[in-house]
Amino acid sequence: MSFHIYWLSVTTYIKRTIEVLPLYKNLKILAVVTTLMMVFVQIGGALVTKTGSADGCGRSWPLCHGQIIPSSWPIETIIELAHRGVSGMAIIMVGLLGWLALKLLPHKRETRFLVMMSIGFILVQALIGAGAVIWGQNDFILAAHFGISLISFASVFLLTLLVFEVDQKFEAQSLVIGSYLRYHTIFLTIYIYLVVYSGALVRHTNSSLACLGWPHCGQGQLWAGNFYQWVQMSHRVLAGIIVIWIFVILIHVLRHYSQYRILKYGWTIAFILVLLQALTGMLSVLTLVNIFIALLHALFITLLFGLLCYFILLLSRTK
């Protein structure tokens, strides 16, 4: 009798595994594609702002100039419609990813939280975008749009890492991280989010070329003289602190955590990303906001924020 029960449980387990494996494989593919789609949403939003395409469809949403298919197709309309299309696809894919993750990964304690964050923030992001088109918004509210989408991207990115069980490949629970690195990681992530807001404010207040010199304001000025220059120079100072802060953390990690490859290489990548972020920020000014450099500027901060959020996920699982 006991053998029969044992054999029944084994066969049931095998049957369920066979049923779940194709879904789990599809979940991995969907997670990767959704993460890439969220990157395109980030870059697309920056492209809309940089090219002044926010009014490419007038005050109509979800229609374009009151039409399903607009009669004219200037470049601003194409950019705005493409961004709307990518954002709409991203919402559908994030919803599907969340549903599959809850179905297949209910045992992971972060799954439900990350699903709620990714879906919730991408919906808020879409509502702010739609509201800006229909009613218009002031620059300070619009600047929050990029930050909200950044949280949505980070949630999807972390969910993808859970799907691939990255933390299990090196047994995250075996890491021992001291309070110095813990607190600096958390506060740095919060600080970077505030700096991202200041950078978005530079774009939405049209302050990108308020200071044509670098690192000083230029035009015979060392510092800011008007509101737009204050926005630009304040962002530069705040961003410069990030470079120094991450460099200090990297030195600390190399001295005290060199035995942990995930920390050593992770913080090295973070420092490279912040250097690239600073470089593209400088080149944006010197090239009078070259569109490709501006998009790289948005890409690097997106990747850096996602990496820091991953470090925080590690902190929640380590000693």
Side-chain angles (χ1 to χ4, degrees):
M1 185 67 180
S2 59
F3 176 78
H4 176 71
I5 296 175
Y6 173 76
W7 177 250
L8 182 62
S9 62
V10 170
T11 53
T12 302
Y13 174 78
I14 294 175
K15 182 179 178 181
R16 289 180 178 177
T17 302
I18 293 174
E19 291 175 350
V20 167
L21 276 178
L23 282 177
Y24 191 69
K25 181 180 179 180
N26 292 335
L27 176 61
K28 288 186 174 183
I29 296 174
L30 178 63
V32 172
V33 174
T34 305
T35 303
L36 292 176
M37 186 66 69
M38 292 301 298
V39 173
F40 292 142
V41 170
Q42 294 292 100
I43 297 177
L47 181 63
V48 168
T49 304
K50 290 293 183 182
T51 57
S53 302
D55 294 326
C57 285
R59 292 296 179 186
S60 299
W61 193 96
L63 301 177
C64 187
H65 295 297
Q67 301 172 307
I68 297 177
I69 301 177
S71 55
S72 61
W73 291 81
I75 186 64
E76 293 82 6
T77 300
I78 294 174
I79 292 175
E80 173 66 11
L81 279 177
H83 180 56
R84 291 188 187 184
V86 171
S87 299
M89 290 176 60
I91 292 175
I92 296 172
M93 295 180 70
V94 168
L96 182 58
L97 175 64
W99 175 74
L100 275 178
L102 290 174
K103 181 180 180 64
L104 300 178
L105 304 175
H107 56 285
K108 292 183 178 290
R109 61 189 179 92
E110 299 92 353
T111 301
R112 185 177 297 275
F113 173 75
L114 291 177
V115 169
M116 293 174 58
M117 291 286 287
S118 58
I119 295 177
F121 275 90
I122 198 172
L123 291 178
V124 172
Q125 172 193 353
L127 289 175
I128 292 179
V133 171
I134 299 173
W135 301 294
Q137 298 286 357
N138 65 53
D139 295 331
F140 292 90
I141 294 178
L142 288 176
H145 189 252
F146 185 81
I148 290 173
S149 62
L150 203 60
I151 294 179
S152 183
F153 162 78
S155 301
V156 172
F157 175 65
L158 294 182
L159 198 56
T160 299
L161 295 181
L162 283 185
V163 169
F164 282 86
E165 297 184 334
V166 173
D167 59 304
Q168 301 298 323
K169 297 183 186 302
F170 55 88
E171 297 181 354
Q173 293 83 355
S174 64
L175 298 179
V176 179
I177 299 178
S179 58
Y180 180 92
L181 184 56
R182 284 179 178 273
Y183 291 135
H184 275 271
T185 302
I186 295 171
F187 290 129
L188 174 65
T189 305
I190 297 172
Y191 177 78
I192 281 185
Y193 192 77
L194 298 177
V195 177
V196 166
Y197 179 83
S198 72
L201 196 60
V202 169
R203 293 200 303 269
H204 287 288
T205 57
N206 296 318
S207 303
S208 299
L209 297 178
C211 292
L212 297 177
W214 199 93
H216 54 78
C217 193
Q219 302 170 336
Q221 295 178 262
L222 292 178
W223 189 247
N226 55 48
F227 169 76
Y228 302 101
Q229 292 174 342
W230 269 101
V231 173
Q232 171 67 238
M233 293 302 295
S234 298
H235 176 64
R236 292 187 192 182
V237 172
L238 294 174
I241 293 174
I242 294 177
V243 178
I244 299 172
W245 198 344
I246 292 183
F247 178 71
V248 171
I249 294 177
L250 175 62
I251 296 301
H252 176 77
V253 169
L254 293 178
R255 286 181 176 177
H256 301 282
Y257 299 94
S258 59
Q259 70 274 27
Y260 299 135
R261 295 174 59 188
I262 185 64
L263 296 180
K264 180 173 64 175
Y265 294 141
W267 280 104
T268 301
I269 294 173
F271 185 62
I272 293 173
L273 287 174
V274 78
L275 288 180
L276 292 173
Q277 176 73 6
L279 177 62
T280 51
M282 177 189 69
L283 291 177
S284 292
V285 174
L286 299 182
T287 61
L288 303 181
V289 194
N290 177 277
I291 189 63
F292 296 104
I293 292 176
L295 294 182
L296 286 175
H297 193 61
L299 174 63
F300 291 139
I301 193 61
T302 299
L303 297 178
L304 178 60
F305 185 78
L307 180 59
L308 291 177
C309 289
Y310 173 61
F311 287 152
I312 292 180
L313 177 65
L314 280 183
L315 293 180
S316 70
R317 293 189 165 201
T318 58
K319 300 177 182 178

